[in-house]
Protein backbone atom coordinates (compact mmCIF):
# COMPACT_ATOMS: atom_id res chain seq x y z
CA UNK A 1 0.00 0.00 0.00
CA UNK A 2 2.83 2.40 0.91
CA UNK A 3 4.60 1.64 -2.38
CA UNK A 4 1.43 2.30 -4.36
CA UNK A 5 0.91 5.62 -2.52
CA UNK A 6 4.53 6.61 -3.12
CA UNK A 7 4.25 5.86 -6.84
CA UNK A 8 1.03 7.91 -7.05
CA UNK A 9 2.82 10.84 -5.43
CA UNK A 10 5.69 10.45 -7.88
CA UNK A 11 3.26 10.50 -10.78
CA UNK A 12 1.77 13.73 -9.49
CA UNK A 13 5.17 15.26 -8.91
CA UNK A 14 6.23 14.38 -12.44
CA UNK A 15 3.21 15.88 -14.14
CA UNK A 16 5.33 18.79 -15.34
CA UNK A 17 7.22 16.32 -17.55
CA UNK A 18 4.04 15.15 -19.34
CA UNK A 19 4.00 15.50 -23.14
CA UNK A 20 7.78 16.07 -23.15
CA UNK A 21 8.74 14.14 -26.26
CA UNK A 22 12.25 14.20 -27.68
CA UNK A 23 12.71 13.99 -31.42
CA UNK A 24 12.25 10.49 -32.81
CA UNK A 25 15.34 8.35 -33.13
CA UNK A 26 16.12 5.53 -35.55
CA UNK A 27 18.93 3.11 -36.19
CA UNK A 28 20.55 4.65 -39.33
CA UNK A 29 20.71 1.39 -41.27
CA UNK A 30 19.12 -2.03 -41.11
CA UNK A 31 21.30 -4.89 -39.94
CA UNK A 32 21.87 -5.87 -43.58
CA UNK A 33 23.10 -2.41 -44.58
CA UNK A 34 20.07 -0.64 -46.06
CA UNK A 35 19.17 2.86 -44.82
CA UNK A 36 16.31 2.82 -42.32
CA UNK A 37 14.20 5.01 -44.62
CA UNK A 38 14.73 2.79 -47.66
CA UNK A 39 11.69 2.92 -49.94
CA UNK A 40 11.07 -0.80 -49.58
CA UNK A 41 10.52 -0.33 -45.83
CA UNK A 42 7.48 1.92 -46.35
CA UNK A 43 4.89 -0.67 -45.17
CA UNK A 44 6.87 -1.25 -41.97
CA UNK A 45 7.05 2.49 -41.27
CA UNK A 46 3.34 2.86 -42.00
CA UNK A 47 2.62 0.27 -39.31
CA UNK A 48 4.97 2.03 -36.90
CA UNK A 49 3.27 5.36 -37.67
CA UNK A 50 -0.06 3.84 -36.68
CA UNK A 51 1.38 2.59 -33.40
CA UNK A 52 3.06 5.93 -32.70
CA UNK A 53 -0.32 7.64 -33.07
CA UNK A 54 -1.56 5.49 -30.18
CA UNK A 55 1.61 5.70 -28.10
CA UNK A 56 2.07 9.46 -27.92
CA UNK A 57 -1.23 10.22 -26.15
CA UNK A 58 -1.04 7.10 -23.92
CA UNK A 59 -1.84 8.26 -20.36
CA UNK A 60 0.49 5.71 -18.80
CA UNK A 61 3.49 7.08 -20.68
CA UNK A 62 2.51 10.70 -20.17
CA UNK A 63 2.18 10.21 -16.41
CA UNK A 64 5.69 8.78 -15.91
CA UNK A 65 7.64 10.96 -13.44
CA UNK A 66 11.06 12.42 -14.19
CA UNK A 67 11.40 11.18 -17.75
CA UNK A 68 11.73 12.50 -21.24
CA UNK A 69 9.91 10.41 -23.81
CA UNK A 70 11.21 9.21 -27.14
CA UNK A 71 10.15 7.04 -30.06
CA UNK A 72 12.90 4.83 -31.49
CA UNK A 73 12.63 2.70 -34.63
CA UNK A 74 14.74 -0.04 -36.14
CA UNK A 75 14.40 -2.28 -39.18
CA UNK A 76 16.14 -5.65 -39.32
CA UNK A 77 16.41 -8.60 -41.64
CA UNK A 78 15.19 -11.98 -40.50
CA UNK A 79 17.63 -14.69 -39.46
CA UNK A 80 15.82 -16.86 -42.04
CA UNK A 81 15.32 -14.43 -44.94
CA UNK A 82 14.21 -17.13 -47.34
CA UNK A 83 11.35 -18.18 -45.06
CA UNK A 84 10.35 -15.13 -43.01
CA UNK A 85 9.79 -11.43 -43.76
CA UNK A 86 11.77 -8.49 -42.47
CA UNK A 87 11.48 -7.54 -38.84
CA UNK A 88 11.09 -4.12 -37.26
CA UNK A 89 10.58 -2.65 -33.80
CA UNK A 90 9.27 0.65 -32.47
CA UNK A 91 9.89 1.64 -28.85
CA UNK A 92 8.00 4.34 -26.92
CA UNK A 93 10.17 4.89 -23.86
CA UNK A 94 10.84 7.24 -20.97
CA UNK A 95 14.45 8.13 -20.08
CA UNK A 96 15.64 9.41 -16.71
CA UNK A 97 17.57 12.62 -15.94
CA UNK A 98 21.01 11.03 -16.42
CA UNK A 99 20.23 10.77 -20.13
CA UNK A 100 18.91 14.30 -20.62
CA UNK A 101 20.68 16.88 -22.75
CA UNK A 102 19.89 20.61 -22.66
CA UNK A 103 16.88 22.33 -21.14
CA UNK A 104 14.25 21.22 -23.66
CA UNK A 105 13.31 17.60 -24.26
CA UNK A 106 16.57 16.41 -25.85
CA UNK A 107 18.06 13.05 -24.92
CA UNK A 108 21.77 12.22 -25.15
CA UNK A 109 21.87 9.27 -27.54
CA UNK A 110 24.95 7.58 -26.12
CA UNK A 111 23.78 7.98 -22.52
CA UNK A 112 20.36 6.59 -23.43
CA UNK A 113 21.95 3.58 -25.06
CA UNK A 114 24.28 2.98 -22.11
CA UNK A 115 21.76 3.48 -19.28
CA UNK A 116 18.56 2.39 -21.00
CA UNK A 117 15.00 3.57 -20.49
CA UNK A 118 13.21 3.66 -17.17
CA UNK A 119 10.03 2.33 -18.73
CA UNK A 120 8.07 2.11 -21.93
CA UNK A 121 6.43 -0.25 -24.34
CA UNK A 122 7.30 -1.63 -27.74
CA UNK A 123 5.82 -3.26 -30.80
CA UNK A 124 7.90 -5.94 -32.50
CA UNK A 125 6.89 -6.58 -36.11
CA UNK A 126 7.36 -10.03 -37.64
CA UNK A 127 9.61 -11.03 -34.70
CA UNK A 128 8.59 -14.52 -33.54
CA UNK A 129 11.28 -14.66 -30.83
CA UNK A 130 10.45 -11.37 -29.11
CA UNK A 131 9.23 -13.20 -26.01
CA UNK A 132 11.67 -16.13 -25.99
CA UNK A 133 15.30 -16.93 -25.20
CA UNK A 134 17.21 -19.59 -27.14
CA UNK A 135 17.96 -22.55 -24.90
CA UNK A 136 19.49 -25.11 -27.27
CA UNK A 137 20.65 -25.06 -30.87
CA UNK A 138 22.26 -27.28 -33.45
CA UNK A 139 21.79 -28.03 -37.13
CA UNK A 140 18.56 -29.93 -36.49
CA UNK A 141 16.82 -28.05 -33.66
CA UNK A 142 16.59 -24.54 -32.26
CA UNK A 143 14.72 -24.72 -28.97
CA UNK A 144 13.57 -21.69 -26.98
CA UNK A 145 12.44 -21.16 -23.44
CA UNK A 146 8.80 -20.17 -23.72
CA UNK A 147 7.92 -16.92 -21.98
CA UNK A 148 5.71 -17.10 -18.91
CA UNK A 149 2.05 -17.33 -19.90
CA UNK A 150 -0.06 -14.45 -18.58
CA UNK A 151 -3.70 -13.51 -18.55
CA UNK A 152 -5.07 -12.80 -22.02
CA UNK A 153 -5.14 -9.12 -22.98
CA UNK A 154 -8.19 -8.00 -24.95
CA UNK A 155 -8.53 -11.58 -26.12
CA UNK A 156 -4.92 -11.94 -27.29
CA UNK A 157 -2.52 -14.48 -25.76
CA UNK A 158 0.11 -13.00 -23.43
CA UNK A 159 3.64 -14.29 -22.88
CA UNK A 160 6.21 -12.49 -20.74
CA UNK A 161 3.89 -9.47 -20.43
CA UNK A 162 3.63 -9.26 -24.23
CA UNK A 163 0.43 -9.56 -26.24
CA UNK A 164 1.12 -11.78 -29.27
CA UNK A 165 -1.07 -10.74 -32.21
CA UNK A 166 -1.03 -13.17 -35.10
CA UNK A 167 -3.36 -14.29 -37.89
CA UNK A 168 -6.38 -16.16 -36.49
CA UNK A 169 -4.85 -15.59 -33.02
CA UNK A 170 -2.07 -18.07 -33.78
CA UNK A 171 1.28 -17.98 -32.04
CA UNK A 172 4.34 -18.73 -34.18
CA UNK A 173 5.80 -21.51 -32.05
CA UNK A 174 4.93 -25.07 -31.01
CA UNK A 175 6.16 -27.21 -28.11
CA UNK A 176 9.27 -29.35 -28.50
CA UNK A 177 8.37 -33.04 -27.96
CA UNK A 178 10.29 -35.04 -25.36
CA UNK A 179 11.66 -37.39 -28.02
CA UNK A 180 13.05 -34.53 -30.10
CA UNK A 181 14.73 -32.97 -27.08
CA UNK A 182 16.29 -36.26 -26.02
CA UNK A 183 17.56 -36.72 -29.58
CA UNK A 184 19.17 -33.27 -29.31
CA UNK A 185 20.83 -34.27 -26.02
CA UNK A 186 22.12 -37.42 -27.71
CA UNK A 187 23.67 -35.39 -30.54
CA UNK A 188 25.13 -32.97 -28.00
CA UNK A 189 26.67 -35.86 -26.07
CA UNK A 190 28.16 -37.26 -29.26
CA UNK A 191 29.68 -33.83 -29.93
CA UNK A 192 31.17 -33.80 -26.43
CA UNK A 193 32.77 -37.19 -27.03
CA UNK A 194 34.19 -36.05 -30.38
CA UNK A 195 35.55 -32.87 -28.75
CA UNK A 196 37.08 -34.97 -25.97
CA UNK A 197 38.77 -37.23 -28.51
CA UNK A 198 40.22 -34.26 -30.41
CA UNK A 199 41.43 -32.54 -27.25
CA UNK A 200 43.05 -35.60 -25.69
CA UNK A 201 44.45 -37.43 -28.70
CA UNK A 202 47.96 -36.21 -27.98
CA UNK A 203 47.75 -36.75 -24.22
CA UNK A 204 46.96 -40.45 -24.71
CA UNK A 205 50.05 -41.08 -26.86
CA UNK A 206 52.86 -42.94 -25.06
CA UNK A 207 55.38 -40.47 -23.67
CA UNK A 208 58.80 -40.86 -25.33
CA UNK A 209 61.12 -40.77 -22.33
CA UNK A 210 64.16 -41.83 -24.36
CA UNK A 211 63.77 -38.82 -26.63
CA UNK A 212 63.64 -36.46 -23.62
CA UNK A 213 66.75 -38.12 -22.17
CA UNK A 214 68.63 -37.47 -25.41
CA UNK A 215 67.53 -33.81 -25.36
CA UNK A 216 68.68 -33.47 -21.76
CA UNK A 217 72.12 -34.82 -22.63
CA UNK A 218 72.42 -32.36 -25.50
CA UNK A 219 71.89 -29.35 -23.25
CA UNK A 220 73.91 -30.70 -20.29
CA UNK A 221 77.26 -29.19 -21.42
CA UNK A 222 75.70 -25.72 -21.55
CA UNK A 223 73.34 -26.00 -18.54
CA UNK A 224 73.57 -29.05 -16.29
CA UNK A 225 70.91 -27.74 -13.91
CA UNK A 226 68.36 -27.34 -16.73
CA UNK A 227 69.21 -30.82 -18.00
CA UNK A 228 68.58 -32.38 -14.58
CA UNK A 229 65.27 -30.50 -14.24
CA UNK A 230 64.19 -31.68 -17.70
CA UNK A 231 65.03 -35.26 -16.78
CA UNK A 232 63.19 -35.04 -13.47
CA UNK A 233 60.00 -33.73 -15.09
CA UNK A 234 60.19 -36.26 -17.91
CA UNK A 235 60.72 -39.25 -15.59
CA UNK A 236 57.85 -38.13 -13.32
CA UNK A 237 55.59 -37.84 -16.34
CA UNK A 238 56.54 -41.32 -17.52
CA UNK A 239 56.06 -42.75 -14.04
CA UNK A 240 52.59 -41.27 -13.78
CA UNK A 241 51.63 -42.01 -17.37
CA UNK A 242 49.52 -45.06 -16.62
CA UNK A 243 47.55 -43.33 -13.85
CA UNK A 244 47.00 -40.18 -15.95
CA UNK A 245 45.85 -42.18 -18.96
CA UNK A 246 43.46 -44.13 -16.74
CA UNK A 247 41.97 -40.90 -15.39
CA UNK A 248 41.53 -39.55 -18.89
CA UNK A 249 39.87 -42.72 -20.10
CA UNK A 250 37.62 -42.72 -17.04
CA UNK A 251 36.39 -39.24 -17.93
CA UNK A 252 35.71 -40.42 -21.49
CA UNK A 253 33.84 -43.43 -20.17
CA UNK A 254 31.62 -41.12 -18.14
CA UNK A 255 30.67 -39.34 -21.37
CA UNK A 256 29.92 -42.70 -22.99
CA UNK A 257 27.84 -43.79 -19.99
CA UNK A 258 25.77 -40.61 -20.26
CA UNK A 259 25.18 -41.33 -23.95
CA UNK A 260 24.12 -44.89 -23.16
CA UNK A 261 21.77 -43.63 -20.45
CA UNK A 262 20.16 -41.21 -22.88
CA UNK A 263 19.59 -43.99 -25.38
CA UNK A 264 18.16 -46.30 -22.72
CA UNK A 265 15.84 -43.54 -21.51
CA UNK A 266 14.50 -42.94 -25.02
CA UNK A 267 14.15 -46.66 -25.73
CA UNK A 268 12.14 -47.18 -22.52
CA UNK A 269 9.57 -44.52 -23.38
CA UNK A 270 6.33 -45.13 -25.20
CA UNK A 271 5.43 -43.19 -28.33
CA UNK A 272 2.95 -41.22 -26.24
CA UNK A 273 5.63 -40.26 -23.70
CA UNK A 274 8.05 -39.24 -26.44
CA UNK A 275 5.37 -37.05 -27.97
CA UNK A 276 4.63 -35.14 -24.76
CA UNK A 277 5.71 -31.52 -24.46
CA UNK A 278 9.23 -31.22 -23.06
CA UNK A 279 9.20 -29.36 -19.75
CA UNK A 280 12.30 -28.44 -17.76
CA UNK A 281 12.37 -30.55 -14.63
CA UNK A 282 14.91 -31.54 -12.00
CA UNK A 283 15.33 -35.17 -13.07
CA UNK A 284 17.81 -36.89 -15.35
CA UNK A 285 18.11 -35.16 -18.73
CA UNK A 286 16.10 -32.29 -17.20
CA UNK A 287 12.94 -34.42 -17.32
CA UNK A 288 10.32 -33.78 -14.62
CA UNK A 289 10.50 -35.94 -11.52
CA UNK A 290 7.33 -37.69 -10.29
CA UNK A 291 7.02 -34.96 -7.63
CA UNK A 292 6.95 -32.33 -10.39
CA UNK A 293 4.23 -34.01 -12.44
CA UNK A 294 1.53 -31.49 -11.57
CA UNK A 295 3.69 -28.38 -11.38
CA UNK A 296 3.66 -25.64 -14.06
CA UNK A 297 7.20 -26.16 -15.33
CA UNK A 298 8.74 -24.08 -18.10
CA UNK A 299 8.33 -25.49 -21.61
CA UNK A 300 10.73 -25.58 -24.50
CA UNK A 301 9.30 -24.56 -27.86
CA UNK A 302 10.45 -24.24 -31.45
CA UNK A 303 9.25 -22.09 -34.32
CA UNK A 304 6.14 -23.52 -35.94
CA UNK A 305 7.09 -24.68 -39.47
CA UNK A 306 3.42 -24.41 -40.51
CA UNK A 307 3.02 -20.77 -39.43
CA UNK A 308 1.85 -18.93 -42.58
CA UNK A 309 4.84 -16.69 -43.18
CA UNK A 310 4.97 -14.93 -46.53
CA UNK A 311 8.63 -14.48 -47.35
CA UNK A 312 7.93 -13.26 -50.88
CA UNK A 313 6.37 -10.02 -49.58
CA UNK A 314 9.10 -9.22 -47.08
CA UNK A 315 7.52 -6.08 -45.57
CA UNK A 316 4.05 -7.52 -45.12
CA UNK A 317 2.87 -7.24 -41.49
CA UNK A 318 2.32 -10.82 -40.37
CA UNK A 319 2.93 -10.84 -36.61
CA UNK A 320 2.85 -8.12 -33.94
CA UNK A 321 4.10 -8.44 -30.38
CA UNK A 322 3.22 -5.62 -27.97
CA UNK A 323 5.40 -5.58 -24.86
CA UNK A 324 5.68 -3.57 -21.69
CA UNK A 325 9.27 -2.91 -20.66
CA UNK A 326 11.03 -1.49 -17.63
CA UNK A 327 14.65 -1.14 -16.63
CA UNK A 328 15.57 -3.78 -14.00
CA UNK A 329 16.60 -1.01 -11.61
CA UNK A 330 13.13 0.55 -11.77
CA UNK A 331 10.73 -2.26 -10.77
CA UNK A 332 8.10 0.24 -9.55
CA UNK A 333 7.35 1.07 -13.18
CA UNK A 334 6.51 -2.52 -14.15
CA UNK A 335 2.83 -2.58 -13.23
CA UNK A 336 2.10 0.95 -14.55
CA UNK A 337 3.63 -0.05 -17.88
CA UNK A 338 1.60 -3.25 -18.03
CA UNK A 339 -1.46 -1.09 -17.37
CA UNK A 340 -0.34 1.34 -20.10
CA UNK A 341 -0.12 -1.52 -22.62
CA UNK A 342 -3.50 -2.84 -21.50
CA UNK A 343 -4.91 0.64 -22.26
CA UNK A 344 -3.82 0.40 -25.90
CA UNK A 345 -6.50 -0.47 -28.44
CA UNK A 346 -5.12 -3.81 -29.54
CA UNK A 347 -7.89 -4.19 -32.10
CA UNK A 348 -6.40 -1.17 -33.90
CA UNK A 349 -2.95 -2.75 -33.62
CA UNK A 350 -4.29 -6.06 -34.94
CA UNK A 351 -5.80 -4.24 -37.92
CA UNK A 352 -2.23 -3.66 -39.11
CA UNK A 353 -1.89 -7.36 -39.92
CA UNK A 354 -2.07 -7.87 -43.66
Amino acid sequence: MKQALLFTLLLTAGAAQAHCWAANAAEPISNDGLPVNHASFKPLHAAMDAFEAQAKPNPGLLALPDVRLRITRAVMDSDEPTRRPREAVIHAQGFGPKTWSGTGCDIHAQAAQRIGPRAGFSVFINSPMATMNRWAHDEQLSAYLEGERGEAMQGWPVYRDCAVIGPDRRIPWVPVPVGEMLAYFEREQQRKIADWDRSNAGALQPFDLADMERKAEKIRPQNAQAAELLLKVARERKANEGRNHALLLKSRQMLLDELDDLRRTRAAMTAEQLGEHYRLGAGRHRLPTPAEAGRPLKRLVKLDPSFPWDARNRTRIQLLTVCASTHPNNPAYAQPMRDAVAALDLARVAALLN
Side-chain angles (χ1 to χ4, degrees):
M1 181 65 73
K2 288 182 178 180
Q3 284 186 333
L5 178 60
L6 176 60
F7 195 79
T8 301
L9 292 173
L10 286 172
L11 290 179
T12 304
Q17 293 293 336
H19 302 87
C20 186
W21 285 91
N24 285 8
E27 293 294 329
I29 59 173
S30 67
N31 62 351
D32 59 337
L34 294 176
V36 73
N37 290 318
H38 193 274
S40 66
F41 299 163
K42 187 176 179 180
L44 297 173
H45 285 292
M48 289 190 274
D49 288 342
F51 174 69
E52 183 174 334
Q54 276 208 68
K56 285 202 167 177
N58 183 274
L61 278 180
L62 298 179
L64 289 175
D66 300 319
V67 298
R68 291 178 180 177
L69 300 165
R70 188 181 71 178
I71 296 286
T72 305
R73 301 182 180 200
V75 177
M76 297 83 70
D77 202 1
S78 164
D79 61 349
E80 289 186 301
T82 61
R83 196 174 82 84
R84 297 206 312 270
R86 282 190 176 276
E87 300 179 10
V89 62
I90 176 170
H91 305 288
Q93 297 168 321
F95 294 85
K98 290 184 179 180
T99 68
W100 296 356
S101 174
T103 57
C105 285
D106 291 341
I107 293 172
H108 192 278
Q110 286 74 25
Q113 185 175 26
R114 185 179 70 254
I115 298 172
R118 286 189 168 184
F121 47 67
S122 308
V123 171
F124 296 87
I125 300 173
N126 298 335
S127 301
M129 291 164 284
T131 65
M132 303 185 295
N133 293 325
R134 194 161 76 177
W135 197 84
H137 173 75
D138 70 1
E139 69 284 351
Q140 296 185 44
L141 175 67
S142 290
Y144 303 86
L145 194 63
E146 186 178 47
E148 297 81 2
R149 184 73 185 262
E151 184 178 349
M153 189 182 300
Q154 300 176 33
W156 296 99
V158 169
Y159 294 86
R160 198 179 287 173
D161 295 328
C162 298
V164 181
I165 300 173
D168 301 320
R169 299 186 185 274
R170 286 185 64 173
I171 54 176
W173 62 83
V174 292
V176 175
V178 168
E180 191 170 357
M181 202 64 225
L182 291 180
Y184 166 83
F185 287 146
E186 183 175 330
R187 294 192 300 273
E188 182 69 7
Q189 197 64 19
Q190 290 171 324
R191 285 189 285 268
K192 289 180 180 178
I193 293 168
D195 287 344
W196 191 99
D197 289 342
R198 282 191 295 271
S199 299
N200 293 286
L204 287 172
Q205 294 298 316
F207 180 64
D208 191 344
L209 178 59
D211 181 60
M212 296 305 295
E213 289 174 337
R214 288 190 293 272
K215 290 179 179 178
E217 291 309 312
K218 284 183 179 180
I219 66 172
R220 186 178 297 280
Q222 292 79 32
N223 192 331
Q225 187 177 4
E228 285 302 316
L229 180 60
L230 181 63
L231 279 175
K232 180 182 177 182
V233 171
R235 287 165 180 167
E236 285 180 355
R237 177 174 173 178
K238 190 64 178 179
N240 293 324
E241 182 177 68
R243 180 173 64 86
N244 290 339
H245 283 189
L247 289 173
L248 284 172
L249 292 173
K250 182 179 179 180
S251 69
R252 186 180 191 276
Q253 188 59 48
M254 290 173 65
L255 295 174
L256 292 171
D257 291 344
E258 180 71 7
L259 180 60
D260 289 341
D261 187 74
L262 273 164
R263 289 171 172 167
R264 284 194 300 270
T265 299
R266 288 184 69 198
M269 287 185 168
T270 65
E272 183 179 5
Q273 289 172 322
L274 292 171
E276 290 177 356
H277 301 167
Y278 184 86
R279 300 181 305 141
L280 288 174
R284 292 281 294 151
H285 317 306
R286 296 300 305 271
L287 290 166
T289 64
E292 294 174 313
R295 291 175 54 187
L297 303 175
K298 291 184 179 297
R299 297 195 312 174
L300 291 187
V301 296
K302 60 181 179 178
L303 294 183
D304 183 355
S306 70
F307 191 82
W309 294 113
D310 178 5
R312 294 168 300 177
N313 188 349
R314 305 214 59 232
T315 54
R316 179 181 161 198
I317 313 302
Q318 301 170 57
L319 181 74
L320 295 157
T321 307
V322 186
C323 299
S325 62
T326 57
H327 193 284
N329 294 336
N330 296 284
Y333 288 104
Q335 188 57 51
M337 279 300 92
R338 285 193 285 268
D339 294 341
V341 170
L344 292 169
D345 185 347
L346 296 185
R348 285 177 59 193
V349 176
L352 300 173
L353 292 173
N354 59 18

